Amino acid sequence: MTIETLLILIPTLPLAGAVLSAALGTGVLRGRSHWPVVVAVVASFLASVVLTFQVQRGVEMQSDSSQGFQRVVTLWRWADLRISPSTSTLHEDPGPAGPPTAFQIDVVLRADSLSAVMLTIVTCVAALVAVYSIGYMHGDRGGWRFFAYFGLFVFSMTMLVEASNLVVLFVFWELVGLCSYLLIGFWYEKPAAAVAGMKAFLVNRVGDAGFLLAMFLIWTFFGTLNLHSTWADGALVQRGVIDQVLEAAKSSAGRTAPIAAICCLLMWAACGKSAQFPLHVWLPDAMEGPTPVSALIHAATMVTAGVYLIARCLPMFAACEVTDLVALVGGGTALLGAVIALTQNDLKRILAYSTISHLGYMFLALGMGTLAGLTAAMFHLATHAFFKALLFLGAGSVMHATGGVTDIRRLGGLRRRLPVTYWTFLIGCLAIAGVWPLSGFFSKDAILLAVLNRASTGDGAQWHRMLFTTALVGVLLIDFYMFRPFFLVFHGEEKLPPESKGRVRESPGVMTVPLMVLAFGSAVLGAYFEWTGGLDRLLAAMPLPDRWRELHAGELAASVRAVPLGRISMAVTLVGIALAAVVFLGRRSKAAALARLMNVFGLYSLSYGKFFIDPLYQGLIVRPMRGVAWFAALLDRWVLDGLVDMVGWTPKWLGAALRPIQNGLTPFYALAMMVGVLVLVVMLLM
């Protein structure tokens, strides 16, 4: 198949599966309503693999590798609004492209190294989660609805990745948010699930407002919303947004202010979608949804959309030096998520805060503003998708066996009853901790190396050394908080909750096979990418602007994995695991002593209370807004409604006042006429 056909096929298949499950699920398919979506998502994954090989072949066959490789497919023109010259200038200085003369939106798809890698990750994890969901959702009366939402989400996410126009990207950015809301609140009979879905939806809308404003500024200053440059017959027709931004930043320092504003707004949108501080509060509550949803949307796919957006626009961020903001938010969020995860007792919420922390590491790598940082972020995105999906599905297997219990204090000694879950969960913990030679070791070190390289350049060295130290501390905390639930749930004295009714046994094969596949990927994927260098070479073939490519030429070749750095990070990892073993494999009094030690500095209360960010939002935003809403309702009910009602009642009151005059008495009418005549005479005389 051609690249153009594959670009259309990859999102179309999940959409068709979703439509079939929704239309035929209740009446025809019933208990087999999952099959259209499962088959469609697996086929979409196979098409993504073929697309990746096609892109790789195109990269190898390209004569001029410095230009990068891409294929652009325009499906149709969605909007074409011509603007008259008198209204075309929306700003005194409309930008390097001159005043925009048309507002055009093309539904245009693009295949390049970045989108091919992202599509393969998304569809691979989605296919495994879909198979797992057959067993997990078995017997649920809303199963057809779950799989319809599932297919719609995969369609939306793949279109988001393929879109090369910001308006089209935003449409599917919003649609994945809608699917997230539907899937988080899937069990809408539970008040907690309904509230969590609404919270995720509203917090993401706060971030998405930044995306809308950024698009408005981009079109105002640059006259296009296409990310790619348009060519016809070998001639440049129109430069894309990123190319124009770099030209503007180079030609005039005065243009960096609007460019910086655009990048800050895009960063705000990415913080909402990828759960970065201060918009991270929705992700832990999203664990109220079914566990496959947590594995798919909130570990491997939707939450990485913000990372993908920053990676796609990274040259823009580097041009106006907004990358330091990305690094600050990423490094701070990585440490914040790790500290909060230390004291949480809900297994899925521990994994949620771990996701927040690891997404922070990806932002930290992107914040270096280099090609090595971009590659490290995408490397960690790929490995994280596997081992975090594995850990979430492992948690789902534990819940499936224990009647839905997620409190790690109520579980213990399950390794003998759940052997497959135990060993796959162990591989996931070792991978996320960064133990050699599992995947997390290589991708984590790639991020640390990207930060260390910036710290050694002399450009903001002190600042980047601080970020490097923060990242190492985060590694230590990750190892500790990940092995805490592992030791408590699977080791020690056997503890079975009453909800399990004593029938704790391993999950069916349809659930354990995806666990084993994900465990295999978590074990070998990082080493394969590292030792072959395939991911580095593929991402280096992205269609990056010439000026930015020249700036970072040879960067990946120079960023050889430093042996001392690997030893240092491995030592930190082993120390973290050893501390967790000493504290949680022995007597529980050690854990209590550690909690008391943390509380001496007030750290335990802050961590357990999640730094009280939710109550702070309640006090500063939610309650004042409720007060404003109450006052507005009062004003609407008693003032505005009263005024509107008065307009309606006034004719009635006037009619009632004049009604006695019409009494039917002839002498009264004659008297009234004479009085009227006298009044007119007096007025004339006056």
Side-chain angles (χ1 to χ4, degrees):
M1 292 184 181
T2 63
I3 290 179
E4 291 76 7
T5 303
L6 291 168
L7 280 173
I8 298 172
L9 194 62
I10 290 169
T12 302
L13 287 169
L15 178 62
V19 171
L20 287 175
S21 289
L24 306 177
T26 54
V28 179
L29 296 174
R30 297 183 180 178
R32 297 181 296 275
S33 59
H34 54 272
W35 281 117
V37 172
V38 172
V39 172
V41 174
V42 171
S44 182
F45 164 62
L46 296 176
S48 299
V49 173
V50 175
L51 176 68
T52 303
F53 281 114
Q54 294 272 42
V55 170
Q56 187 174 11
R57 183 184 303 170
V59 170
E60 294 170 351
M61 294 177 63
Q62 194 170 21
S63 57
D64 185 6
S65 60
S66 63
Q67 298 298 318
F69 175 83
Q70 66 174 352
R71 286 288 185 274
V72 177
V73 181
T74 302
L75 300 183
W76 70 85
R77 176 152 288 175
W78 185 7
D80 189 358
L81 305 178
R82 299 294 168 180
I83 301 173
S84 63
S86 60
T87 61
S88 62
T89 303
L90 302 180
H91 194 276
E92 292 180 0
D93 184 6
T101 59
F103 179 68
Q104 296 174 341
I105 305 174
D106 294 324
V107 180
V108 55
L109 310 180
R110 177 165 60 162
D112 62 3
S113 303
L114 183 61
S115 60
V117 169
M118 194 75 179
L119 285 170
T120 304
I121 295 169
V122 168
T123 54
C124 178
V125 175
L128 292 170
V129 174
V131 174
Y132 178 95
S133 300
I134 297 174
Y136 191 89
M137 300 301 296
H138 178 71
D140 193 296
R141 60 187 179 88
W144 66 272
R145 184 165 49 90
F146 173 86
F147 283 98
Y149 294 162
F150 192 103
L152 182 62
F153 169 80
V154 178
F155 160 72
S156 306
M157 189 66 198
T158 52
M159 282 296 294
L160 184 154
V161 172
E162 292 182 3
S164 194
N165 178 282
L166 283 172
V167 175
V168 179
L169 193 155
F170 180 75
V171 168
F172 291 100
W173 182 278
E174 291 294 292
L175 194 52
V176 295
L178 173 63
C179 294
S180 174
Y181 163 75
L182 294 172
L183 287 166
I184 293 170
F186 175 75
W187 289 317
Y188 54 85
E189 299 90 347
K190 292 170 53 180
V195 170
M198 185 60 69
K199 183 177 181 179
F201 188 80
L202 293 177
V203 173
N204 272 274
R205 298 294 75 70
V206 173
D208 296 347
F211 203 143
L212 279 172
L213 292 173
M215 285 195 297
F216 176 77
L217 288 176
I218 288 171
W219 183 74
T220 300
F221 281 92
F222 302 106
T224 181
L225 290 166
N226 286 336
L227 291 170
H228 63 281
S229 296
T230 305
W231 296 77
D233 299 325
L236 179 65
V237 176
Q238 185 182 49
R239 290 186 180 273
V241 170
I242 298 175
D243 288 330
Q244 289 196 43
V245 166
L246 291 182
E247 288 296 322
K250 180 176 67 174
S251 61
S252 173
R255 298 191 191 281
T256 57
I259 296 172
I262 290 168
C263 292
C264 288
L265 290 168
L266 289 175
M267 177 62 187
W268 181 250
C271 285
K273 195 66 74 179
S274 291
Q276 296 295 284
F277 178 84
L279 300 179
H280 66 284
V281 293
W282 66 270
L283 186 59
D285 290 353
M287 299 302 106
E288 293 293 338
T291 301
V293 174
S294 304
L296 174 68
I297 296 180
H298 309 122
T301 53
M302 189 193 88
V303 290
T304 61
V307 177
Y308 174 76
L309 178 65
I310 302 297
R312 179 62 79 186
C313 301
L314 189 60
M316 290 172 52
F317 284 76
C320 56
E321 300 180 354
V322 181
T323 49
D324 284 345
L325 174 64
V326 179
L328 175 63
V329 171
T333 305
L335 191 60
L336 176 70
V339 172
I340 295 177
L342 289 173
T343 57
Q344 303 306 305
N345 297 311
D346 186 284
L347 180 56
K348 288 177 66 177
R349 278 175 169 77
I350 293 172
L351 297 177
Y353 280 108
S354 172
T355 299
I356 292 172
S357 182
H358 280 270
L359 289 167
Y361 276 99
M362 298 175 206
F363 274 80
L364 175 61
L366 292 172
M368 298 303 102
T370 62
L371 188 56
L374 188 154
T375 305
M378 293 305 299
F379 188 6
H380 197 60
L381 187 151
T383 59
H384 176 266
F386 276 83
F387 54 66
K388 186 53 65 66
L390 169 62
L391 290 169
F392 266 114
L393 296 185
S397 183
V398 171
M399 294 172 62
H400 185 269
T402 59
V405 175
T406 57
D407 191 336
I408 60 176
R409 296 169 297 183
R410 300 177 57 197
L411 302 171
L414 297 182
R415 69 182 186 278
R416 290 178 292 273
R417 293 178 177 262
L418 307 175
V420 177
T421 302
Y422 169 75
W423 286 108
T424 54
F425 203 91
L426 174 60
I427 292 173
C429 287
L430 292 172
I432 199 172
V435 175
W436 186 89
L438 278 74
S439 295
F441 171 81
F442 299 102
S443 60
K444 172 200 66 180
D445 271 19
I447 293 175
L448 293 176
L449 184 61
V451 180
L452 189 60
N453 285 342
R454 280 300 303 273
S456 62
T457 60
D459 180 17
Q462 189 66 32
W463 159 249
H464 291 103
R465 278 196 290 268
M466 185 183 71
L467 288 174
F468 179 76
T469 304
T470 301
L472 274 182
V473 172
V475 169
L476 178 67
L477 296 179
I478 288 170
D479 304 330
F480 185 83
Y481 73 67
M482 280 309 308
F483 275 87
R484 171 175 170 254
F486 175 75
F487 289 142
L488 292 180
V489 170
F490 293 103
H491 287 269
E493 180 184 354
E494 185 174 271
K495 295 170 65 176
L496 304 179
E499 291 86 342
S500 67
K501 300 178 182 179
R503 297 193 296 270
V504 176
R505 56 181 178 271
E506 188 58 87
S507 301
V510 74
M511 295 172 65
T512 55
V513 169
L515 288 177
M516 290 185 280
V517 175
L518 287 169
F520 178 77
S522 301
V524 305
L525 190 64
Y528 173 77
F529 284 154
E530 173 69 17
W531 294 335
T532 63
L535 185 64
D536 286 357
R537 289 195 302 272
L538 189 61
L539 290 176
M542 286 174 57
L544 297 169
D546 295 340
R547 182 167 174 266
W548 202 73
R549 184 182 293 279
E550 292 170 3
L551 184 65
H552 300 285
E555 189 178 84
L556 293 178
S559 299
V560 182
R561 300 292 182 261
V563 174
L565 176 60
R567 290 175 178 173
I568 292 171
S569 64
M570 189 64 189
V572 172
T573 296
L574 295 178
V575 168
I577 296 174
L579 283 174
V582 169
V583 174
F584 299 109
L585 279 182
R587 293 176 297 175
R588 297 298 173 91
S589 58
K590 295 179 182 177
L594 179 63
R596 288 193 297 270
L597 179 63
M598 291 177 62
N599 219 25
V600 170
F601 305 100
L603 185 58
Y604 186 88
S605 298
L606 283 173
S607 174
Y608 188 75
K610 306 164 190 173
F611 284 80
F612 306 104
I613 295 174
D614 278 300
L616 188 66
Y617 283 165
Q618 286 285 332
L620 295 180
I621 299 176
V622 177
R623 288 177 183 171
M625 291 301 295
R626 283 180 177 172
V628 171
W630 176 83
F631 177 76
L634 195 67
L635 187 69
D636 179 68
R637 180 174 298 176
W638 298 106
V639 179
L640 298 179
D641 278 1
L643 290 174
V644 173
D645 291 343
M646 186 177 67
V647 172
W649 281 97
T650 298
K652 184 177 180 180
W653 291 336
L654 288 174
L658 295 175
R659 192 176 298 117
I661 298 176
Q662 303 295 328
N663 53 20
L665 298 176
T666 303
F668 178 80
Y669 294 155
L671 178 63
M673 291 172 63
M674 292 182 65
V675 170
V677 170
L678 289 174
V679 170
L680 289 174
V681 171
V682 171
M683 290 179 63
L684 289 172
L685 292 175
M686 292 177 62

